[in-house]
Amino acid sequence: MSTDLTSWSTSPLPMIFAVCGACIAFMMLIMCLFMYSRQRKSAYIYMAAAFSFIMTHEGLNIHSAWIGIVDFSPEPIVLRIIRLFSFVLLNMSVVMLYRKIKTMHYWLPLLTAALLLLPLILPSFLSFTIDPVWQSVYFDVILLCALYVAFTKGVPRIGQPVKYAVGLAAYALWFALQAVQTYTGIVSIPLQGFALALPVLFYTLVFFILFRRIVELMQSIYRSAITDGLTGLYNRRHFMKYLDHYTAQALKISAIFCDIDNFKKLNDTQGHARADEVLKQVAAIMEEELDGIGITGRYGGEELVALVVDRKIKPSQVAENIRARVAAETIVTISVGYSVLRQGIQGDELMNQADKAMYHSKTTGKNKVTDYRSLEELLNEPKEAAVQ
């Protein structure tokens, strides 16, 4: 055993892995506190608390490595309590990133703390001394239960189950090697060095889980800010931003304005749920027809709009394709109008032209497509005749 002690006292591995663990914990702590300041999500507080305890644990490991104490020897009871409590908090917070936890589950940290502090409190009420081996067994049983719950309840409930399961497996392997060393002392020095890296691997994988989840949430928040919640099309404000951008560059674009015929009657006779379903069907058809050639948006109510930005595509054909598909694939029809951007026309005026063309379709029979230019010519004909 003296050889083991000498080997570990001169090995840089305990210090390296302890520093790595502390650095990861510090980065996670800062990240969680920053996210909590923005979103007030409980998961970030639980995870920040977990990594605070992990930083404390790794800091003590750094101190032990610095003064040459064997890092893989059985941990003092206080260190075991800190490690176990942080492990429970960390796994709980990972699940909370993806799922709302029932109120009763918030008592889990308190229950864990009570169970972990029991070996410290109980001896003062007993007339005999508890064998340290039984204390070690007690903590190992708690960790086994925590691993079992994490594998069976945590892994199926998060969006990155493979990564999470690999991290838990690494932690379980570390625990197995630690237990073998504690009860038998037969784990070789190289294997002990390998074992020291396993908790760091677990923390690293949790870091990537958190990072990816934050990216997903940020994308979701951004997406909800620019899209309509029902149809998934761009909302009016963001659609108009695109329109203004294209018109400012004087690009050859076309605006298509669609209005679902008799939509109020559909709402009144078949209910809002059915009407919403139809609205989503029409929106999906428009998205498919504009895929790769333009963008779509919800202008308001049952009014859906689109921009054709591909110069090679005829807006009349796109508008007709949308009208025909809606008539064939849904229980409603739509009135459609479109207008091509001309020099000196601003985005608002382009949409007004397409709206006027749509209104002409609706008031002259519905379920048809009107080109604003042809409508303009039609409206000018009587004036020209009067002049003659």
Side-chain angles (χ1 to χ4, degrees), residues 24-37 41-56 85-86 89-90 92-94 97 206 210:
I24 293 171
F26 178 74
M27 288 189 295
M28 294 283 281
L29 174 62
I30 297 301
M31 188 182 300
C32 290
L33 292 177
F34 174 78
M35 291 305 301
Y36 182 75
S37 69
K41 192 177 178 68
S42 300
Y44 299 126
I45 285 295
Y46 278 85
M47 190 170 284
F51 276 102
S52 296
F53 284 113
I54 291 170
M55 281 181 61
T56 302
F85 190 62
S86 65
L89 280 181
L90 188 56
M92 185 176 175
S93 62
V94 169
L97 287 173
V206 173
L210 174 64

Side-chain angles (χ1 to χ4, degrees), residues 10-26:
T10 57
S11 173
L13 289 180
M15 176 66 77
I16 290 173
F17 290 129
V19 170
C20 288
C23 289
I24 293 171
F26 178 74

Side-chain angles (χ1 to χ4, degrees), residues 237-340:
R237 181 178 61 84
H238 199 73
F239 180 87
M240 294 303 291
K241 277 188 176 181
Y242 268 111
L243 176 60
D244 292 339
H245 171 72
Y246 289 131
T247 54
Q249 296 185 14
L251 299 178
K252 185 180 179 181
I253 61 173
S254 304
I256 298 175
F257 207 110
C258 306
D259 188 277
I260 300 177
D261 299 325
N262 305 314
F263 192 74
K264 186 178 183 304
K265 182 179 179 181
L266 178 66
N267 256 317
D268 295 339
T269 57
Q270 299 194 34
H272 292 292
R274 179 59 172 154
D276 287 347
E277 182 183 342
V278 170
L279 188 60
K280 287 190 284 187
Q281 288 177 335
V282 176
I285 290 172
M286 290 185 66
E287 275 199 298
E288 290 173 10
E289 290 298 324
L290 272 294
D291 185 30
I293 62 171
I295 62 171
T296 53
R298 185 179 182 184
Y299 206 69
E302 67 273 23
E303 298 173 336
L304 306 178
V305 291
L307 289 179
V308 179
V309 298
D310 191 330
R311 295 185 176 186
K312 300 177 182 178
I313 303 299
K314 293 182 179 180
S316 58
Q317 187 60 55
V318 177
E320 177 57 28
N321 290 345
I322 294 172
R323 184 210 62 78
R325 284 192 59 186
V326 170
E329 299 174 21
T330 72
I331 62 172
V332 296
T333 59
I334 58 173
S335 297
V336 186
Y338 71 91
S339 180
V340 179

Side-chain angles (χ1 to χ4, degrees), residues 149-208:
V149 172
F151 271 112
T152 58
K153 303 298 183 181
V155 172
R157 285 173 169 78
I158 76 167
Q160 304 175 66
V162 175
K163 199 178 296 180
Y164 185 40
V166 170
L168 288 174
Y171 202 88
L173 180 57
W174 166 85
F175 164 69
L177 293 171
Q178 179 79 45
V180 171
Q181 176 66 13
T182 300
Y183 299 118
T184 66
I186 62 173
V187 178
S188 65
I189 291 295
L191 199 55
Q192 290 181 31
F194 167 74
L196 290 176
L198 295 174
V200 178
L201 174 61
F202 173 61
Y203 302 148
T204 303
L205 290 173
V206 173
F207 172 83
F208 285 119

